[in-house]
Amino acid sequence: MQPAGTIPPQDWMTAPATRAVLDALTADGQTVMFVGGCVRDALIGRPVGDIDIATPDPPETVTALLQRAGLKAVPTGIEHGTVTAVSGHRPFEITTLREDVETYGRHARVAFTDDWTADAARRDFTMNAMFCAPDGTVYDPFGGWDDLVAGRVRFVGKAEDRVQEDYLRLLRFFRFYARYGRGAPDADALRAAERHASQLTTLAAERIHHELLKFLEAANPGPAARVIHDHGILQPVLPEARHAERLRALAAVERELGVIIDPLRRMAAWLDLREAHRLGARLRLSNKQDRHLRQLAAPAETVRADMAPRDLRRPLHRLGRDLVRDLYLLAAAERSAAGERLDAAALAAGLREIEAWQPKRLPVDGGDVKALGVPPGPRIKQLLDALDAWWVDRDFQPGRAACLAELRRRVAAEHPGG
Ligand code: ATP
Ligand code: MG
């Protein structure tokens, strides 16, 4: 491999935790390199997340070298040749170079190798198939650097073949297109994705779930979602994903208001939730994620994007901050997608109210109701709920004495003379 250039020194490369892993892996003179996402992101100045390292040493040797240096080695994917080193409380994925010996569908037979180019060749996109030596020298066997700079997400080799080896790559294509793409998507990739979309049904739901959430984490997944929709890519597995425009609008609202991206909220914007059935099971959502989406689909309180901050307090009290935040942003996205111009200052004021919300508790409880002579039973809760509604209507102002007086009045009204 010929060097393609260099990356100037970066914190993540020179950090003591990283150095410790590199020193351990090269102690006997082996050559190792950074690979994949960290190289790609460093080259365009985006924050580097996980650090992946490639080495020609087999996993047993990697484990021994790490342990000799006093680092923890976890066999996270030993059959694929991956060992996770833990250094400075951070994980580093160390993978032995591999080459595809034979592929049939998802079942690729891989063998360990010491051939760097062969390892790059079995990776998905040119921009994911670059290496970087610890001194910053970049190796780019398939022109990924140019593609990255030009916003071209392109398969290594023929898109048609690469998609058939692993149908998940068809979704990965849209994830990377959403994150790094500019202009129209690569025509070969799009054609292959369209042709093989029906094969998505053969993938494990967990893999689809993971990939879709990653896709939704892109700064602006809207344009890619539009392409997905126009080409029927998700029709076989997620036909309810049809609101690309609402997803685009949500991303814009989040950016405008400086809200942290949440992939589940974006899922709610993208999908027609009322039409979705058994989504939790189909996408292997956690119970918590599933419940959240159901509550967003049919909230017990109305939240509108044009509500005055004060009017948000009732839903906040009933539904809690997380649900109201999502309902509010989704309502704003809905209106924006419908072509309405939003009042950014008013929206921001509502959001401030939501973020500052502290849960409030009615200052009387069941014990107070009993003390007034109401016998144990469902009536106690009914009285408390009604009193709570009265209290909310007065914007949580009445204190304990006023609430007790109101409670007494209500109980007395039920038992005149009692
Ligand atoms: P991210 O920043 O989202 O983690 P990444 O590039 O690190 O991006 P991963 O899914 O963590 O993406 O995969 C790490 C690397 O492994 C990729 O850059 C790519 O080289 C390779 N890879 C992962 N999945 C596949 C796949 N299904 N087919 C081919 N290569 C893959
Ligand atoms: Mg990664």
Side-chain angles (χ1 to χ4, degrees), residues 87 221 249:
S87 173

Side-chain angles (χ1 to χ4, degrees), residues 36-38 40-41 50 52 122-124 128-129 162 166 168-169 172 175-176 179-180 207 214:
C38 58
R40 178 193 67 221
D41 289 332
D50 299 343
D52 296 324
R122 64 154 191 93
R123 294 178 182 271
D124 45 11
N128 287 348
R162 304 313 308 285
D166 177 2
L168 188 75
R169 289 178 186 157
R172 288 179 63 86
R175 176 207 324 180
F176 288 101
R179 266 209 261 174
Y180 303 96
R207 294 184 84 200
K214 285 275 201 172

Side-chain angles (χ1 to χ4, degrees), residues 12-13 18 21-22 25 32-41 48-55 76 82-85 90-98 116 119 122-123 128 130-134 172 175-176 214:
W12 61 271
M13 279 188 184
T18 313
V21 175
L22 294 173
L25 296 175
V32 306
M33 304 229 203
F34 298 111
V35 65
C38 58
V39 180
R40 178 193 67 221
D41 289 332
V48 165
D50 299 343
I51 299 178
D52 296 324
I53 297 173
T55 175
T76 40
T82 303
V83 175
T84 301
R90 275 195 71 160
F92 294 80
E93 286 220 329
I94 299 148
T95 303
T96 306
L97 299 183
R98 286 173 295 174
W116 294 88
D119 181 83
R122 64 154 191 93
R123 294 178 182 271
N128 287 348
M130 296 184 275
F131 300 104
C132 171
R172 288 179 63 86
R175 176 207 324 180
F176 288 101
K214 285 275 201 172

Side-chain angles (χ1 to χ4, degrees), residues 42-118:
L43 282 174
I44 48 166
R46 293 206 194 174
V48 165
D50 299 343
I51 299 178
D52 296 324
I53 297 173
T55 175
D57 276 335
E60 311 80 70
T61 310
V62 168
T63 305
L65 286 169
L66 290 171
Q67 285 171 348
R68 206 167 81 196
L71 293 171
K72 194 169 164 200
V74 190
T76 40
I78 210 88
E79 69 282 13
H80 310 114
T82 303
V83 175
T84 301
V86 184
S87 173
H89 304 290
R90 275 195 71 160
F92 294 80
E93 286 220 329
I94 299 148
T95 303
T96 306
L97 299 183
R98 286 173 295 174
E99 62 185 320
D100 287 344
V101 182
E102 197 183 341
T103 40
Y104 33 102
R106 306 157 51 200
H107 308 283
R109 257 227 342 260
V110 294
F112 296 146
T113 177
D114 56 6
D115 181 341
W116 294 88
T117 308

